[in-house]
Structures are given as C-alpha cells and as structure tokens.
Amino acid sequence: MSSSSSSSLTLPGDPPGGRRAVTVWSVGVSVYFVAVIFRTSLGVAGLDAADRFHVNASALSTFSILQLLVYAGMQIPVGLMVDRLGTKKVLTLGVVLFTIGQLGFAFSPTYGTALASRALLGCGDAMTFISVLRLGSRWFPARRGPMVAQLAGLVGMAGNLVSTLVLARLLHGVGWTAAFAGSSVAGVVVLVLMLAFLKDHPEGHEPEPFPHRGAAYVRRQIAASWREPGTRLGLWVHFTTQFPAMVFLLLWGLPFLVEAQGLSRATAGELLTLVVLSNMLIGLVYGQIVARHHGARLPLALGTVLATATVWAATLAYPADHAPMWLLVVLCVVLGACGPASMIGFDFARPANPPERQGTASGITNMGGFVASMTTLFAVGVLLDATGESYTVAFSAVFVLQALGLSQILRLRKLAARRERERLVASRVETVHVPA
C-alpha cells in the first residue's frame, strides 16, 4: 500500500477530540478493562476449577472453547446492535451480563452451571470491544483512530495482567467464592460510572438518522459491509495475526512450556506474563507508527505473521529435547506482537465503511481472530491426543492457519488499497464543493 501521512486521514465532520473525549472514552474503556479481567480469570483458576468441579482436562478446555464460541458468534449481532442502539445501551447490557456471569461462576455448585455462567460472561464480554471502538471513532478525529484502538488493546492487556497477578493471589488467599464474587464488584463500579458519564457522541456530531427495517436492515448492513474489500482484508488480518498468542495464553502455553519444555510452573508463568508485557509495549509502538504512516499497516501485519511463523518453527524444530531459554523468551516477545498486529485489521475496516456501518464492520473483523483461535485450540487438542502428546506436530496447526490467512491477505490487498484511495478522493472532492 502506498504510504500517506496521518493528515490525509482528516475527514470532513471529524469530531474534535480533546479532554472531554478522553474522559468519556476512559469510562468506556474501563468497562473493557473489567471485561478482560473477567474473561481471563479462568486462566489463573484452571487447576482450582478442575478440583472444584471434578473434571478432566478435556472438560476444562470446554470452558475456553465455549467462551470463544459465544464471543465470536456474537460479533456481527453486537455490531448491528451498536449501529442501531448506540454505544451506551449496548455497553450497559454487556456490563450487566458479564457481571452476572462472574457472580454466577463464583457460586456455581456444578460443572453445568459454571459452564452456563461462563457462556453468559462471554456474551457480555462480546459487547464491550466493538462498543469501545465505536466510541473512539465518535469522539476522536479519524487520524487518531489507530492510536486510540491500540490504546484500547493496551488497556485490555492490562486487564489480563491484573487477572494474572492480582486475582491469582486473591484466589489462593480468600478462596474461590470470595475471590470471584469480590471481583464482580468491579462490574458494578464501571456500570455506575458509565450510566453517570458516558455519552455516545459529542454535541453537534450526532449521526444522521438511518432507517431500520428489521431483517431487511440486518441483511443490508452485513452485505454492504462484506462487499467492502477493506472489511474482508481487516477480517483476514485479524484472523492471521491474533490467534497464535491467544491460543498460547488462553490454554496451551502453560502445558507446552511445562510438559514439552521441562520448565517449572513458576517459570512458565513468568514467560506468559512476558507475552502480556510485550503486547502492551508493542501496542504503543504499532499505534504510533500506524497513526503517523498509514501505509505501514500491511508491512507491520505481514512482518508480524512472518516473525511469528519463523520463531515458532525454530522453537518446534530445535534439535535438542528442549529449546534454550533465550529462544523461549524470543518466542514470548514475538507472540506479544500478535495482539497489536490484529488491531491493524480494524484500521482497514474503519475507512472502508461509513459511520452507520462501523459497528457491523468491526464485528465482522473481530470474528476473524476468534474463529482462528477456536479452530486452533480444537486442532491442537485433537493432534495431542492422536500423536501421544507430540507438541511439535500439534502446534504445526498454527502454520496451516497462517498460510490460509496470508493467502487471503495477499489476494485482497490491492483491491482494498484502490477502494480506500477512491473513497478518500471522493471525500476531498465533496469537501471542495461544499459552499462556505
């Protein structure tokens, strides 16, 4: 893609940003922060959950797969809801659902009720990120979009870190029920803040009324968003970049490091924390680069995919029984780039769609990584069982999905670039012809 300066992304009617925008957006992103804490809370409670509900590893993994399934399946409906109802209403519903889910998980007496609680939590969680993206696009100028999106991802990673460092200690200090029930209070706090301070858009920047006509409107929104090459490119960028780190952090990283690499649980936990810290740092760097050099989007995404594939191949093919620690550290640092790279997918979908389709387009894009993650979680589990726990063979599934996604990115990149240039030229011509 041809490079362009960030100033070229300034569009007519852009919101002004400023302190008020920062305040409102901060309230919205705090909801996402709490949602990620709740989402990743099972990651630090896996062994406790197995003991509490008397389940094996396969049943335990169902928690993660079900949560991702609900999350991915909700993305397009949530996008449509955001476009139709606005950010505040959707976020309010999301907070209520994920708080009830976390509270239900605290008091679940059986595996079935715990599974239902995680599904409810996943449903509420699914409503947060797209809403926060929409809030950013309503309150900040378009040129700030990449940085605002990366900051949202950074806040999400901070939630992951809180879950790893704080909730884990709380769980082992006060016990299962008190830890999960106590953490659900955070949902109540952000709900109060949101109801008091959140607004969908600044004064004078109300979206134009758009007719909603039931099923016909839904079909029209989805079809129009999907026809845009930028939306499809965004989905495949998200698909190809996000899942290696998601699979590693959510389920298979700890078993790989302990069982295949011979590390202690404490050392493996430190490496997982390194992935999160790397994600946070690289997210800031990627956000700055894309905000200043829009043409860097595709090189950053492709570079992350190639770096991830290279380091994974080196780790799995290392000739000794265990990869050296320096290589595992490099692997975790590179995996930290996967989250920020996946955010670039939204930077392709956003300029490809008008404001009234932003939620729908973001929902389509956000499905990519979670579908890839579910597929890989399942494939790795099946291959581990089929090969007598050969992690080398099982993690080869990563390369298959990367190859699929890469082929689609290369197929769509030129078409998406041409359509984006045409849209930008058209917006400039429209601005020139508007009478003063």
Side-chain angles (χ1 to χ4, degrees):
M1 283 189 157
S2 60
S3 178
S4 58
S5 67
S6 60
S7 61
S8 67
L9 296 177
T10 302
L11 300 175
D14 257 358
R19 291 183 180 179
R20 174 66 171 158
V22 172
T23 300
V24 173
W25 181 81
S26 297
V27 172
V29 83
S30 69
V31 176
Y32 178 55
F33 173 74
V34 174
V36 173
I37 294 176
F38 290 2
R39 177 200 305 173
T40 57
S41 59
L42 183 64
V44 300
L47 295 177
D48 300 84
D51 291 338
R52 180 179 177 86
F53 301 116
H54 310 292
V55 295
N56 58 21
S58 297
L60 190 62
S61 69
T62 304
F63 279 123
S64 299
I65 295 174
L66 175 64
Q67 198 167 322
L68 286 183
L69 180 64
V70 172
Y71 190 103
M74 285 292 294
Q75 290 311 293
I76 291 179
V78 168
L80 291 163
M81 288 170 65
V82 170
D83 287 335
R84 181 165 187 172
L85 302 177
T87 301
K88 187 170 184 175
K89 291 180 180 178
V90 177
L91 271 181
T92 300
L93 179 59
V95 173
V96 171
L97 290 177
F98 70 59
T99 302
I100 293 174
Q102 185 78 340
L103 194 61
F105 197 57
F107 293 100
S108 291
T110 64
Y111 174 71
T113 55
L115 207 59
S117 295
R118 294 306 289 186
L120 192 63
L121 191 156
C123 187
D125 179 21
M127 298 182 180
T128 58
F129 187 65
I130 293 175
S131 298
V132 170
L133 287 181
R134 172 64 170 266
L135 196 66
S137 68
R138 289 296 193 192
W139 280 90
F140 293 95
R143 67 181 184 277
R144 302 293 184 194
M147 193 62 202
V148 170
Q150 288 289 357
L151 284 173
L154 179 67
V155 171
M157 280 294 104
N160 195 333
L161 201 60
V162 168
S163 179
T164 302
L165 299 179
V166 178
L167 189 59
R169 292 185 179 182
L170 193 63
L171 183 67
H172 296 126
V174 300
W176 178 282
T177 301
F180 281 100
S183 67
S184 66
V185 174
V188 178
V189 172
V190 294
L191 177 61
V192 172
L193 289 174
M194 188 180 61
L195 293 175
F197 299 108
L198 195 72
K199 288 187 64 178
D200 282 355
H201 47 73
E203 297 293 336
H205 289 271
E206 294 81 0
E208 294 183 9
F210 192 78
H212 307 304
R213 298 174 182 172
Y217 161 74
V218 171
R219 289 193 298 269
R220 184 167 58 248
Q221 285 287 87
I222 296 174
S225 296
W226 184 254
R227 278 197 299 269
E228 291 292 344
T231 304
R232 284 175 278 145
L233 179 60
L235 179 145
W236 285 109
V237 167
H238 199 270
F239 177 101
T240 314
T241 53
Q242 188 202 47
F243 79 93
M246 176 75 74
V247 168
F248 197 79
L249 286 172
L250 201 59
L251 188 60
W252 293 120
L254 190 69
F256 170 74
L257 294 172
V258 173
E259 296 177 1
Q261 299 302 320
L263 302 181
S264 67
R265 286 180 178 268
T267 303
E270 291 172 357
L271 287 175
L272 294 180
T273 303
L274 178 61
V275 177
V276 177
L277 293 174
S278 172
N279 185 302
M280 296 172 72
L281 179 61
I282 293 173
L284 287 175
V285 175
Y286 277 21
Q288 289 283 1
I289 292 174
V290 174
R292 296 182 181 184
H293 307 284
H294 215 51
R297 293 172 299 172
L298 198 58
L300 282 177
L302 293 178
T304 301
V305 173
L306 294 177
T308 305
T310 300
V311 179
W312 255 126
T315 302
L316 296 176
Y318 197 78
D321 290 339
H322 300 141
M325 179 57 71
W326 68 264
L327 184 55
L328 295 177
V329 168
V330 172
L331 173 67
C332 291
V333 171
V334 171
L335 285 175
C338 292
S342 72
M343 300 298 297
I344 295 173
F346 299 101
D347 294 320
F348 288 108
R350 188 184 304 111
N353 290 272
E356 66 270 13
R357 288 207 309 265
Q358 290 290 319
T360 305
S362 294
I364 293 172
T365 300
N366 207 30
M367 283 183 64
F370 290 94
V371 169
S373 296
M374 277 191 304
T375 304
T376 310
L377 281 169
F378 178 74
V380 170
V382 170
L383 289 171
L384 283 174
D385 288 339
T387 60
E389 297 193 350
S390 170
Y391 281 90
T392 299
V393 175
F395 273 113
S396 296
V398 170
F399 306 121
V400 176
L401 269 74
Q402 284 183 321
L404 171 62
L406 194 59
S407 68
Q408 295 302 310
I409 291 171
L410 296 177
R411 181 178 68 86
L412 289 165
R413 72 190 193 284
K414 291 183 179 179
L415 181 58
R418 184 168 65 249
R419 287 282 291 143
E420 189 170 303
R421 285 194 299 269
E422 290 171 356
R423 187 180 293 275
L424 188 58
V425 169
S427 68
R428 286 174 172 170
V429 169
E430 181 181 333
T431 305
V432 170
H433 285 87
V434 171

